Amino acid sequence: MFEKQKRIPDPEVIVEMMPLPDNLASIKAERDRMVTDVITGASDKFLVIVGPCSAHEQAPVLDYVERLGRLNEKVKDKLVLVPRIYTNKPRTKGVGYKGMFSQPDPTKAEDILKGIFAIRELNIKAIEASGLAAADEMLYPANIHYVEDLLSYIAVGARSSENQLHRLVSSGVDVPVGIKNPMSGSILVLLNSIYAAQSPQVFKLNGWQVKTDGNPLAHAILRGAVDSYGNDIPNFHYETVMQLAEGYAKSDLSNPAVIIDANHSNSGKQFKQQIRICEEVMQNRIYDADFKKIVKGFMIESFIEEGCQKEDVIYGKSITDPCLGWEDTERLLLDIADKV
C-alpha cells in the first residue's frame, strides 16, 4: 500500500520557480562544451570529476567548490574540473541516508519537495561561486529533469547500469553521461549499456511517450568490480582498459572514452589509494599512446577533511564513503596536470 504524502510539481514548474540566471546559464553552456570536447577528442585536456561522496550540507560543499574554482585557475590549461555535487545516494540495503534530494537535512525525515529546491539552490550557488558546473548521479531517471539544466556531467552508477530505464533516459540527455561497469565487472554489459544510451529510443517517461535521438556522448566509467564473496576486484589496470578499448573498436559506438573511478572497488574504499591509482594511470598514459587516447579522465572522491564520519559533526567531512582531504586533493590535481 502506498500512502500519498505530498504532491510534487512537474519539473517545468520547479525550474520556472527557481531558474538558472542567464549569466550562469552562459557559464554552464561553456562548461558543457569543454567537457564534451574532452569526450569527443576535440580537446586534449583531461577531465577530473572530483568532490564529496555525497553533498549533505550546503556550506561545506560551497566552501569546497570555491576552493576548486580557485585551483582551476592554476590547471585550466591542462584539466577540465567538474565538481561532484552528488545529491542522490544508492543504498545497498535500501535504508540509510539517501542524499539531499530525499533528505535536505540528513538528521530529519525525507522531504523531497524541499530537497529539490535545496539542490537547485546549491548548484546555482556553486556555479556562481566557482565558475564550474557540476556532476551528479542519475539514481532516479524520472527525476533528472529537475536538475538537468544545472549539470555538465551525469553518471549512471554500477547498480543502475543494467537497468533499462537508466539506459533509455541517458539516450535523451544533452550532456556527457558516464556509465559505470556493473558490479559484476562485465565489459560486455557495460558496452551494451553504452550502445543503448547512444541509440535513438522511444519509451514512456513521466506520463508521456517520448522519443530521443541517442546520446553520442555516453561513455564508460571503470569503478572496479565485486565478486560473489564481496571481494573488490580493481579494473583500472592497463590490461582491462585495453580490453575495453578493444571492445569499443568492435562495437558501433561513437566517441570511445574511459573515465577511471579511483575509489570504490578500484581502491577497496581505501581513500588514500586514490593517489596511487591516479599515478599509475597517468604513467600508463605516458607509456602507451592508445591508452592515452581512450582514458579521458578521473573520478575522485574528495572533501575538505579526509575520511568519513557517521554524523555531521566535523565540518567538511563525508557522512558516507571516506574521501581524500583538501590538501592531498590539491597536490594530486596539480600532479595530474603536470603529467597530462
Side-chain angles (χ1 to χ4, degrees), residues 105-306:
D105 184 336
T107 67
K108 296 181 180 179
E110 290 88 348
D111 190 332
I112 292 172
L113 181 57
K114 185 181 289 186
I116 292 170
F117 282 113
I119 63 175
R120 286 197 64 82
E121 179 182 54
L122 175 56
N123 274 278
I124 290 170
K125 285 185 175 180
I127 298 172
E128 185 175 30
S130 68
L132 307 175
D136 200 352
E137 179 176 348
M138 183 171 63
L139 184 58
Y140 306 109
N143 296 340
I144 191 61
H145 297 304
Y146 288 106
V147 293
E148 186 182 8
D149 63 311
L150 307 175
L151 304 173
S152 285
Y153 189 93
I154 293 170
V156 174
R159 298 172 183 84
S160 304
S161 59
E162 297 183 74
N163 180 271
Q164 185 72 354
L165 187 57
H166 284 81
R167 294 174 171 186
L168 296 176
V169 173
S170 295
S171 75
V173 172
D174 293 329
V175 298
V177 174
I179 301 177
K180 292 193 175 186
N181 62 262
M183 300 295 283
S184 67
S186 170
I187 297 298
L188 178 60
V189 170
L190 174 58
L191 289 168
N192 287 341
S193 298
I194 297 169
Y195 188 90
Q198 289 196 0
S199 302
Q201 304 285 357
V202 176
F203 57 101
K204 177 182 175 294
L205 181 66
N206 294 334
W208 290 87
Q209 177 176 309
V210 298
K211 179 179 180 296
T212 71
D213 294 328
N215 182 355
L217 303 174
H219 60 275
I221 302 175
L222 293 179
R223 52 85 71 203
V226 179
D227 69 17
S228 58
Y229 294 97
N231 300 310
D232 292 310
I233 306 170
N235 63 6
F236 66 90
H237 298 299
Y238 177 87
E239 293 77 11
T240 307
V241 171
M242 298 315 294
Q243 180 187 6
L244 178 54
E246 183 179 350
Y248 261 122
K250 292 179 180 178
S251 304
D252 187 20
L253 294 172
S254 303
N255 305 312
V258 176
I259 303 297
I260 302 296
D261 179 348
N263 211 12
H264 297 98
S265 290
N266 275 329
S267 70
K269 294 189 178 180
Q270 301 300 309
F271 65 93
K272 287 277 194 179
Q273 292 297 315
Q274 293 182 97
I275 299 171
R276 176 187 60 82
I277 290 166
C278 290
E279 288 175 349
E280 178 178 322
V281 171
M282 296 309 292
Q283 287 299 323
N284 283 333
R285 289 182 92 243
I286 294 169
Y287 166 75
D288 190 297
D290 290 333
F291 186 97
K292 179 177 180 179
K293 184 177 180 180
I294 197 167
V295 175
K296 306 281 190 178
F298 288 127
M299 186 170 282
I300 298 168
E301 291 195 324
S302 150
F303 210 180
I304 296 170
E305 300 293 336
E306 71 173 32

Side-chain angles (χ1 to χ4, degrees), residues 88-101:
N88 291 285
K89 295 305 299 178
R91 311 309 305 181
T92 301
K93 295 181 179 179
V95 296
Y97 176 60
K98 296 178 181 177
M100 188 179 286
F101 192 99

Side-chain angles (χ1 to χ4, degrees), residues 40-70:
T40 62
S43 170
D44 290 331
K45 293 180 182 180
F46 198 68
L47 181 64
V48 182
I49 302 139
V50 57
C53 175
S54 59
H56 69 271
E57 187 179 16
Q58 183 178 115
V61 172
L62 288 177
D63 183 347
Y64 179 92
V65 172
E66 287 175 5
R67 297 179 190 207
L68 205 61
R70 292 192 294 271

